[in-house]
């Protein structure tokens, strides 16, 4: 029976089964508890020989890149090398392909884990196929690829830290979640990963709050319904708050200006108005509500303005910090330090 996660690729959140995701969340909870109790956590560290963790970011990032670098450094030591690839000064600028680039990097360690952010949707699936062929030809272990955000497609490690944070807020009860997704649901990859990531909860109710121009693509809405989620649609925060059944978990996204066409950009100020939280809405919120946001937020036009920072509803700071812990555990799993008590070769 296979119990390890070596050579696994996380291109989309569904690459980890619900059972595997729950294992990661339980281990993250354990790591945090043991760390803050001052206990030994060395069993989480990668022991495999000559492992290279490569952080390859071709698109801008603060949180994902830096939390992965720090998570990788948790593992670094005589066995584990942490490499931050300088894509700006690499041979990408001489039109070298992703396949050739990652083939070369794979050759510098016995086993590699790549953390990859690019605009190219599906890049990790492509690399998984092509580089495993290269590895077989050259007698190298098949590497792992971790999608750190590919265009407007998916952001599975953000999904892991989001779901972990929701569970933490819920006292690790996964029987039910009612969540509002608010903002640019068309271009935001973090909300696209929720379509399958929320399946860790047994009962799911999702409220989509966005103007028509920024609404979640229909195929994702259909998938959520197929997954058994109850889905409701609202065109603005004002409309959402005008009814009584308001979620206690709100997940905001920024307007992804860099991914918008001219037609949307020319009315962006009107669209932004519909999904920006205002002081006048505060009284309509349910008791105990928490706001989350993958960040970054726009410094001039944030959907969660700064007046919210000091209120108890601020959940996004804890959420961002959880990224460090969740990513340590993901690397522990993909680096062979953690094995599951169940068969990892099976797909759900
Ligand atoms: N949440 C997130 O992906 O942020 P960065 O773009 O800063 O990594």
């Amino acid at each position: 029976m296979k119990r390890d996660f070596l050579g696994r690729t996380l291109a989309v959140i569904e690459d980890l089964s619900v059972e595997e995701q729950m294992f990661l969340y339980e281990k993250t909870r354990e790591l945090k508890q043991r760390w803050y109790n001052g206990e030994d956590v060395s069993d989480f560290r990668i022991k495999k020989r000559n492992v290279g963790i490569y952080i390859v970011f071709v698109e801008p990032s603060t949180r994902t890149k830096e939390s992965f670098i720090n998570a990788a450094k948790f593992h670094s030591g005589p066995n584990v090398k942490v490499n931050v690839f300088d894509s700006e000064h690499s041979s990408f600028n001489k039109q070298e392909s992703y396949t050739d680039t990652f083939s070369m990097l794979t050759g510098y360690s016995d086993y590699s884990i790549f953390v990859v952010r690019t605009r190219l949707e599906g890049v990790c699936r492509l690399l998984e196929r092509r580089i495993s062929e290269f590895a077989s030809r050259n007698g190298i272990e098949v590497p792992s690829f971790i999608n750190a955000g590919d265009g407007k497609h998916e952001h599975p490690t953000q999904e892991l830290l989001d779901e972990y944070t929701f569970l933490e807020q819920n006292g690790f009860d996964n029987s039910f979640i009612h969540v509002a997704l608010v903002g640019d649901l068309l271009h935001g990859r973090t909300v696209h990963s929720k379509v399958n990531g929320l399946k860790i909860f047994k009962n799911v109710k999702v409220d989509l709050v966005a103007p028509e121009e920024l609404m979640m693509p229909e195929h994702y809405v259909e998938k959520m319904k197929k997954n058994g989620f109850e889905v409701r649609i609202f065109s603005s925060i004002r409309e959402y708050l005008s009814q009584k059944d308001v979620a206690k978990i709100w997940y905001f996204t920024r307007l992804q200006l860099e991914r918008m066409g001219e037609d949307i950009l020319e009315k962006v100020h009107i669209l932004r108005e519909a999904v920006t939280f205002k002081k006048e809405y505060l009284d309509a919120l349910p008791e105990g509500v928490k706001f989350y946001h993958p960040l970054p937020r726009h410094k001039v036009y944030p959907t969660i303005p700064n007046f919210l920072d000091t209120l108890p509803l601020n959940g996004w700071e804890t959420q961002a910090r959880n990224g460090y812990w969740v990513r340590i555990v993901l690397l522990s799993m993909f680096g062979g330090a953690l094995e599951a008590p169940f068969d990892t070769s099976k797909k759900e």
Side-chain angles (χ1 to χ4, degrees), residues 8 10 12-18 20-21 160 330 334:
R8 288 282 290 267
L10 180 61
V12 293
I13 191 68
E14 272 197 306
D15 285 335
L16 287 176
S17 69
V18 167
E20 290 170 340
Q21 288 172 55
L160 293 173
L330 182 65
F334 283 17

Side-chain angles (χ1 to χ4, degrees), residues 98-108 130-131 134 137 140:
Y98 282 118
T99 305
D100 283 353
T101 303
F102 283 88
S103 296
M104 290 305 104
L105 304 182
T106 300
Y108 303 144
R130 297 219 177 132
I131 306 306
F134 169 87
R137 276 200 306 278
I140 304 168

Side-chain angles (χ1 to χ4, degrees), residues 206-310:
V206 183
D207 298 330
L208 304 175
V209 184
E212 198 182 346
E213 292 86 341
L214 300 177
M215 186 42 75
M216 180 84 79
E218 192 52 36
H219 68 278
Y220 283 132
V221 177
E222 284 311 309
K223 185 76 197 336
M224 284 194 283
K225 290 179 182 168
K226 224 171 139 185
N227 285 341
F229 302 179
E230 182 183 341
V231 182
R232 301 187 302 165
I233 291 180
F234 301 88
S235 62
S236 66
I237 294 177
R238 192 178 294 281
E239 187 200 341
Y240 185 48
L241 289 176
S242 70
Q243 52 88 52
K244 291 278 173 269
D245 189 11
V246 175
K248 281 195 175 181
I249 295 178
W250 288 42
Y251 188 91
F252 287 82
T253 67
R254 71 186 172 91
L255 271 65
Q256 315 251 317
L257 303 179
E258 74 277 23
R259 304 190 205 284
M260 288 179 182
E262 283 294 317
D263 52 332
I264 297 184
L265 275 175
E266 63 191 20
K267 50 183 168 186
V268 76
H269 54 289
I270 302 169
L271 303 177
R272 183 181 287 122
E273 180 75 8
V275 291
T276 297
F277 198 85
K278 298 193 176 117
K279 274 196 180 127
E280 68 201 62
Y281 299 151
L282 280 172
D283 287 343
L285 289 174
E287 183 124 350
V289 70
K290 283 279 182 196
F291 282 8
Y292 297 104
H293 194 308
L295 305 174
R297 59 179 166 179
H298 196 289
K299 64 185 173 195
V300 184
Y301 305 113
T303 50
I304 45 167
N306 294 86
F307 75 84
L308 295 168
D309 291 1
T310 53

